[in-house]
């Protein structure tokens, strides 16, 4: 962007942050993304974007999987025949078929559920979502980490209960790939685009965009796919269109109110 352009409501991320938030090499938030340093919001932006990402400690039952070639799935959002969820629990689609497409649909919708604004601002909702999507052995660790990071993010953004409706938290799946699959365990990669920030003139973090790939290990537990671990990596990241510029703060604020975010994919 031109050096004389005024700060507006959106930015595209271009740099990577150091690999730490104090939780060690196995941390689900070890890959933190940051925006350009000129915005002075490195910590808040990194925390916000990585909260879309990984979670869950290693499941004690292990992750032995049948070897398989990475396979793009035709129904990334779970909207195809045989890949739809049977019901919705605590706002999360559940009840997937014990198939590759079923595992892919579960991975996408579970990650979408963890990317909604309410997931960050409402602890009760967050706990319900986690109880729904995580394996029994991964739940406690995931819940503790998500609670800690959500609290830190809200403080860094300066978001309160009154200003929470102004916060922008959006995510969209771009595709999935099955890395391995068996009837008991599946490893699914989900490519996603995310937008996060607060569209106000005095915001600590203007709205910014990011692209990420999440690798979810799912296990078949209690008749459904559940998440055992999530790993986050950057990209694939496209170039910014040369004929497009960031929207103004007011445009982003109005768009956030006008365009309702889908609760899940498919």
């Amino acid at each position: 962007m031109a050096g004389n352009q005024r700060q507006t409501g959106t930015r595209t991320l271009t740099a990577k942050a150091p690999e730490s938030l104090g939780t060690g090499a196995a941390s689900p938030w070890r890959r933190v993304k940051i925006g350009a340093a000129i915005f002075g919001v490195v910590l808040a932006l990194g925390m916000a974007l990585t909260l879309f990402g990984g979670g869950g400690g290693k499941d004690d039952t292990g992750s032995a999987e049948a070897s398989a070639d990475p396979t793009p799935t035709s129904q990334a959002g779970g909207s195809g025949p045989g890949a739809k969820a049977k019901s919705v629990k605590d706002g999360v689609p559940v009840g997937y078929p014990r198939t590759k497409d079923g595992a892919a649909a579960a991975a996408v919708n579970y990650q979408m559920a963890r990317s909604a604004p309410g997931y960050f601002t409402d602890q009760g909702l967050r706990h319900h979502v986690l109880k729904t999507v995580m394996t029994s052995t991964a739940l406690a660790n995931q819940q503790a980490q998500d609670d800690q990071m959500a609290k830190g993010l809200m403080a860094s953004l300066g978001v309160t209960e009154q200003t929470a409706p102004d916060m922008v938290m959006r995510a969209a799946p771009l595709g999935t790939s099955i890395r391995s699959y068996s009837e008991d365990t599946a490893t699914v990669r989900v490519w996603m685009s995310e937008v996060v920030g607060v569209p106000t003139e005095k915001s600590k973090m203007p709205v910014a965009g990011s692209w990420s790939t999440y690798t979810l290990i799912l296990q078949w537990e209690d008749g459904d796919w559940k998440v055992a671990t999530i790993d986050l990596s950057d990209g694939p990241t496209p170039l910014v269109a040369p004929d497009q510029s960031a929207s103004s703060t007011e445009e982003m604020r109005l768009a956030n109110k006008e365009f309702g975010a889908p609760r899940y994919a498919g």
Side-chain angles (χ1 to χ4, degrees):
M1 295 181 186
N4 61 354
Q5 183 177 1
R6 290 194 173 188
Q7 178 171 310
T8 55
T10 59
R11 289 294 185 272
T12 299
L13 306 188
T14 57
K16 295 182 182 179
E19 286 188 1
S20 69
L21 272 180
T23 52
S27 166
W29 286 289
R30 65 184 180 276
R31 297 181 62 87
V32 183
K33 298 185 196 134
I34 62 173
I38 58 173
F39 302 132
V41 291
V42 171
L43 179 60
L45 184 55
M47 292 175 67
L49 293 175
T50 52
L51 262 171
F52 282 113
K58 297 285 186 181
D59 193 30
D60 292 340
T61 59
S63 58
E65 304 141 17
S67 177
D69 293 331
T71 305
T73 61
S74 59
Q75 307 296 342
S79 59
K84 290 184 178 180
K86 294 180 180 179
S87 60
V88 176
K89 180 180 179 181
D90 293 318
V92 185
V94 296
Y96 296 93
R98 202 170 184 174
T99 63
K100 285 187 177 183
D101 280 351
V108 170
N109 286 330
Y110 292 168
Q111 191 58 37
M112 287 288 289
R114 297 183 64 247
S115 303
Y119 187 85
F120 301 89
T121 59
D122 186 335
Q123 185 183 68
L125 173 62
R126 184 165 60 250
H127 288 186
H128 282 302
V129 169
L130 289 172
K131 188 174 181 180
T132 299
V133 308
M134 303 302 299
T135 63
S136 57
T137 53
L139 175 59
N141 183 58
Q142 183 67 61
Q143 181 173 297
Q145 293 195 48
D146 279 27
D147 284 349
Q148 177 185 2
M149 293 302 297
K151 182 178 179 180
L153 172 62
M154 295 300 100
S156 297
L157 292 177
V159 173
T160 65
E161 185 177 347
Q162 290 71 33
T163 60
D166 293 328
M167 181 178 64
V168 178
M169 290 273 184
R170 302 292 181 99
L174 303 177
T176 61
S177 174
I178 304 292
R179 297 198 66 176
S180 62
Y181 175 80
S182 73
E183 287 191 349
D184 297 318
T185 307
T187 301
V188 183
R189 301 177 71 215
V190 183
W191 181 27
M192 295 186 73
S193 176
E194 300 124 345
V195 178
V196 60
V198 181
T200 61
E201 295 296 339
K202 297 181 179 180
S203 172
K204 295 181 180 180
M205 190 181 76
V207 181
S210 176
W211 288 263
S212 307
T213 295
Y214 301 96
T215 301
L216 291 82
I217 296 178
L218 300 102
Q219 294 184 348
W220 190 259
E221 180 179 288
D222 296 332
D224 204 357
W225 291 110
K226 301 287 185 177
V227 180
T229 66
I230 307 175
D231 188 41
L232 168 65
S233 60
D234 295 334
T237 302
L239 291 172
V240 178
D243 59 343
Q244 290 184 319
S245 59
S247 298
S248 68
T249 296
E250 181 63 12
E251 286 176 315
M252 183 55 63
R253 186 186 68 80
L254 292 176
N256 190 44
K257 292 182 178 296
E258 178 181 359
F259 294 95
R263 298 176 65 183
Y264 50 87

